[in-house]
Amino acid sequence: MRHFPAFLDLVNRPTLVVGGGLPAWGKIQLLRRAGAQVTVVAAEAVTEIDAAATRREITWRRRSFQPRDLAGKAVVIAASDVATDTLVSTLAKRRNIPFNAVDRPELSTFIAPAIVDRDPVMIAVSTGGASPALARRVRARIESLLPTGFGRLAQFAERFRSAVRATVPEETARRRFWERLFDGPVAARLMAGDDRGAGELMLGLVNRRGEAASGSIALVGAGPGDPDLLTLRTLQYLQGADVVVHDRLVSAAILDRARRGAQFLDVGKDVGAGAKAQDRINALLVRLVREGKRVVRLKGGDPFIFGRGGEEKAYLEAAGIAVDVVPGITAATGCAASAKIALTGRGVAQAVTFVTGRGEAGDPDVDWAALAQLGQTLVVYMGLARIETIAATLIAHGRDAATPAAIVENGTRANQRVLTGRLDQIAAVVRAAAVRGPALLIVGEVAADAVATANTAAAAASSLALAG
């Protein structure tokens, strides 16, 4: 280990930055966030340094570096030319002052790591100066795993530290208590911004002398299919889940992002399964929560767009269970973007409507005359089985038979297909291509944008076939 990792307390301590460019400004900002008193030495400086000096947030000496500038400094950072940085390095080392030269590790006695700041939680990432770009990449990965408010967990725990020590005196039991806390519903409530709810749960735990926390549930959107389109909050919930109750269309690649050791329950319903199947799911969710499990109810797309998320939320709340909701990229926007279709466009489509292709009793109960109007895009979920009826009904209510239409099958996934045709021909296109779904139907002038993509794909496939 070339460098000893440490965090310096620089509150109200004098520090020196030599140089007036943007790299120097970046270090000045970090020093100020750490509470340091900053003096800058540079003949010229960027406007940000000038403005900070004008506000008296820092001291700027408008001249070249002089050896006396080092006197009394706790830390020195140089971001100037090679000759100046070398001189400052030599003098700082003689005085045993911690010194860093930006992007010059060979001159430095300490290095400035990439930082993940979730105050008071601080994570430093270093490659020993070998590759700052790689350190930044690692930092970005960690950033994606930690919620913005993650530091609030530490502040929250500090508030209750004495109470927990008093009620759970045994060290091992106390450690397990905190582990349950950080992985359980108290942390989930805090991350969702419900400080009051988190506090009430915490008081209940403390009063029960560290008994197991009650369960929790979140209705979570899994997006249209590509695991890279999961939101950061979805990943965070998946990483903390005891049980993932998922729909049939949620892919294995998405489930792989969940916590190792989580239980997976597939509750996907077949077409026409109806209310009885949903009743069983509702009852299952309540039972799992009451068993003390951290439950993620994972739905394709967004849980509140044709996903019965509203029904499940109402059922759970009627049972006295609080519900967190995590939105996802819905299929309409995700699949359309993946197929290069803009759902709205100036002079083409001033509105977009999402409808379901099936209802409780079969055909959906919608205003077909309104849906057939010009100047709008129609996106039909779950319409594959009734595509002939949907197309014919739209035409019967006045939509032009030549209106462009597109089918996006397995949207955003590696096996995505985009098929296009006229509205009066799209059902035949679907049959000829043996589309099995999941598929989304897009009707409107904007669907013409997908024609080039579909034709290019078809041409590529033909070329491959001839080459074979």
Side-chain angles (χ1 to χ4, degrees):
M1 187 171 64
R2 180 180 173 186
H3 294 91
F4 179 78
F7 291 90
L8 299 178
D9 181 0
L10 294 178
V11 175
N12 294 324
R13 302 195 68 192
T15 61
L16 174 67
V17 175
V18 180
L22 287 176
W25 172 241
K27 301 305 180 187
I28 291 166
Q29 290 176 288
L30 287 175
L31 289 170
R32 290 193 63 246
R33 283 167 59 188
Q37 297 174 355
V38 181
T39 296
V40 180
V41 174
E44 297 180 349
V46 295
T47 56
E48 291 86 348
I49 293 177
D50 190 5
T54 301
R55 295 190 299 268
R56 298 187 177 182
E57 296 170 351
I58 62 174
T59 300
W60 177 19
R61 305 196 187 284
R62 304 172 187 236
R63 57 171 172 74
S64 299
F65 167 76
Q66 297 177 9
R68 69 173 183 268
D69 293 325
L70 298 175
K73 299 300 186 291
V75 164
V76 176
I77 296 176
S80 187
D81 56 84
V82 175
T84 300
D85 287 359
T86 302
L87 173 61
V88 179
S89 173
T90 301
L91 296 175
K93 288 176 181 177
R94 288 178 185 172
R95 291 164 172 78
N96 290 320
I97 302 173
F99 172 76
N100 172 260
V102 176
D103 290 336
R104 295 192 175 103
E106 71 281 0
L107 297 178
S108 305
T109 58
F110 76 91
I111 56 177
I115 296 171
V116 179
D117 186 358
R118 296 292 188 269
D119 184 48
V121 177
M122 189 75 68
I123 301 171
V125 180
S126 172
T127 59
S131 178
L134 179 59
R136 289 192 293 270
R137 258 186 102 74
V138 174
R139 178 190 64 187
R141 294 286 183 90
I142 297 173
E143 289 269 15
S144 70
L145 297 175
L146 298 181
T148 303
F150 190 77
R152 295 168 63 205
L153 278 176
Q155 296 168 343
F156 183 86
E158 185 177 21
R159 283 167 46 198
F160 289 92
R161 186 175 179 181
S162 297
V164 172
R165 182 178 291 275
T167 56
V168 191
E170 201 276 317
E171 183 177 352
T172 301
R174 191 165 60 249
R175 185 181 70 250
R176 290 174 179 169
F177 173 89
W178 287 116
E179 288 173 351
R180 287 200 304 270
L181 177 85
F182 294 139
D183 288 336
V186 174
R189 285 259 173 263
L190 202 62
M191 291 299 95
D194 184 5
D195 290 40
R196 180 177 177 179
E200 291 174 351
L201 285 175
M202 184 65 173
L203 287 173
L205 285 179
V206 172
N207 291 334
R208 293 196 301 272
R209 303 182 64 82
E211 292 177 12
S214 59
S216 64
I217 186 165
L219 305 180
V220 178
D226 183 349
D228 288 340
L229 294 178
L230 294 173
T231 67
L232 295 181
R233 182 162 290 185
T234 292
L235 287 171
Q236 290 154 9
Y237 271 89
L238 286 174
Q239 286 293 311
D242 293 320
V243 184
V244 178
V245 181
H246 62 92
D247 288 342
R248 177 172 51 89
L249 297 180
V250 176
S251 68
I254 288 175
L255 296 178
D256 283 344
R257 304 293 178 94
R259 182 180 68 86
R260 291 183 181 179
Q263 180 184 6
F264 298 95
L265 300 178
D266 184 347
V267 295
K269 301 187 293 292
D270 294 328
V271 175
K276 289 185 178 180
Q278 186 61 51
D279 288 343
R280 288 194 293 270
I281 294 172
N282 293 342
L284 171 66
L285 297 177
V286 170
R287 177 174 62 81
L288 290 171
V289 174
R290 288 179 174 167
E291 288 175 354
K293 303 288 179 39
R294 293 165 295 177
V295 182
V296 167
R297 175 67 172 107
L298 192 62
K299 296 172 173 289
D302 183 277
F304 283 179
I305 303 291
F306 302 122
R308 297 207 177 196
E311 295 176 36
E312 293 177 4
K313 174 178 175 291
Y315 188 93
L316 288 160
E317 290 179 340
I321 296 172
V323 181
D324 293 330
V325 178
V326 181
I329 297 175
T330 190
T333 56
C335 295
S338 185
K340 308 297 191 295
I341 300 173
L343 293 177
T344 61
R346 186 181 302 177
V348 178
Q350 286 72 50
V352 57
T353 302
F354 302 162
V355 298
T356 177
R358 66 170 187 257
E360 287 294 335
D363 291 330
D365 181 16
V366 296
D367 185 348
W368 289 105
L371 297 178
Q373 292 178 4
L374 297 176
Q376 68 170 320
T377 302
L378 179 64
V379 181
V380 184
Y381 287 70
M382 299 172 285
L384 199 60
R386 293 181 173 82
I387 191 167
E388 293 94 342
T389 301
I390 292 169
T393 304
L394 287 170
I395 294 170
H397 283 82
R399 198 72 188 246
D400 189 344
T403 300
I407 285 284
V408 184
E409 182 185 24
N410 295 312
T412 76
R413 304 185 188 192
N415 58 342
Q416 172 180 296
R417 284 199 298 173
V418 182
L419 307 170
T420 62
R422 291 164 43 117
L423 180 58
D424 61 350
Q425 298 171 346
I426 194 65
V429 170
V430 166
R431 287 195 300 271
V435 176
R436 296 182 178 179
L440 201 72
L441 170 63
I442 301 175
V443 178
E445 297 303 322
V446 299
D449 293 342
V451 173
T453 302
N455 288 342
T456 299
S462 298
S463 300
L464 289 172
L466 291 173

